[in-house]
Amino acid sequence: MAGPVFPNVPSIPGVPSVQRGLTNPGTDTVPKASGDSITVTATAKDQWGIYTTAGAKALNVDSVLSIGYDAEHVISDFPIEKGGFETYNKVARPAESRVVVTKGGTVEERRAFLSKLDDLSKDLVLYNVVTPERSYLNVNFSRIVIDRSREQGAGLITVEISLREIRQNAKVTFSTTKEPASADSVSNGHVQPSASAVDTSGVK
């Protein structure tokens, strides 16, 4: 019985790779396509991730798959005559950061990683989300999503971490007087938030 017949297509630049034999030698030199990512390499590992305000790593991971940043400004307005509107204020809401990381290794290493993640999600400490171009300052863990699937392998943990900016510009003033009527007036209304704390100097 005769073997399969393959097209007689020359292997030259500009000609697509096709099956030319049982071992398909025509595709040996074709580069494989790879997905785009910002997975941390050994030389740039200290430029991505979540750090304490003192500059230490808050969480040791194998790779950082993605970092996202969401800043929203709410513009207030009110109706005026003849169906028009007048804009009178613009308020910056606390920014949100999203960091997707992976962790593999031994069972003990993964167990320690998950335990550390639980501790970080419960504390009230401020952290910084660091990238080479910009750092997002004064954030705290607000949400953690752990994803494990058969396709990714049983020994690989993928975690999506959401962090919210913590504003610290509100101040409380106290005064002591003998007569309550003589006390200084105090405003108990909302404090106008400042712009998001973002450090553009990066981490060296």
Side-chain angles (χ1 to χ4, degrees):
M1 181 178 180
V5 178
F6 300 98
N8 185 18
V9 179
S11 179
I12 59 176
V15 177
S17 176
V18 297
Q19 185 79 4
R20 297 183 176 88
L22 294 176
T23 58
N24 196 19
T27 60
D28 292 344
T29 59
V30 177
K32 303 293 190 300
S34 59
D36 295 331
S37 68
I38 59 169
T39 300
V40 177
T41 62
T43 57
K45 197 166 186 177
D46 292 337
Q47 295 183 338
W48 299 91
I50 304 172
Y51 290 76
T52 66
T53 55
K57 285 185 180 179
L59 189 65
N60 288 316
V61 301
D62 291 342
S63 62
V64 178
L65 299 183
S66 67
I67 291 181
Y69 178 73
D70 183 9
E72 180 181 4
H73 294 75
V74 179
I75 300 177
S76 304
D77 50 35
F78 63 95
I80 56 178
E81 295 180 351
K82 299 180 180 180
F85 284 85
E86 182 75 20
T87 300
Y88 65 93
N89 199 4
K90 185 175 184 179
V91 179
R93 288 186 174 177
E96 298 277 350
S97 298
R98 185 188 71 259
V99 182
V100 180
V101 300
T102 61
K103 179 64 177 179
T106 65
V107 174
E108 290 74 15
E109 290 173 337
R110 298 196 302 270
R111 184 179 293 116
F113 170 78
L114 293 175
S115 178
K116 179 65 175 180
L117 200 59
D118 287 338
D119 294 338
L120 292 175
S121 66
K122 298 173 184 176
D123 68 27
L124 302 176
V125 179
L126 295 180
Y127 299 95
N128 299 328
V129 176
V130 176
T131 68
E133 300 80 13
R134 171 173 292 185
S135 297
Y136 307 103
L137 308 180
N138 300 329
V139 298
N140 187 263
F141 287 69
S142 61
R143 186 169 182 260
I144 292 176
V145 178
I146 298 176
D147 183 20
R148 306 186 73 174
S149 64
R150 178 181 59 186
E151 292 77 13
Q152 293 177 332
L156 183 66
I157 301 175
T158 303
V159 183
E160 179 178 329
I161 303 171
S162 299
L163 305 103
R164 174 169 293 188
E165 176 193 4
I166 305 300
R167 302 241 172 101
Q168 304 179 85
N169 58 329
K171 297 181 179 179
V172 179
T173 303
F174 298 93
S175 62
T176 302
T177 59
K178 293 183 178 179
E179 296 294 333
S182 301
D184 296 335
S185 59
V186 177
S187 175
N188 293 323
H190 296 289
V191 178
Q192 179 71 19
S194 61
S196 302
V198 174
D199 177 19
T200 59
S201 62
V203 172
K204 301 297 183 181

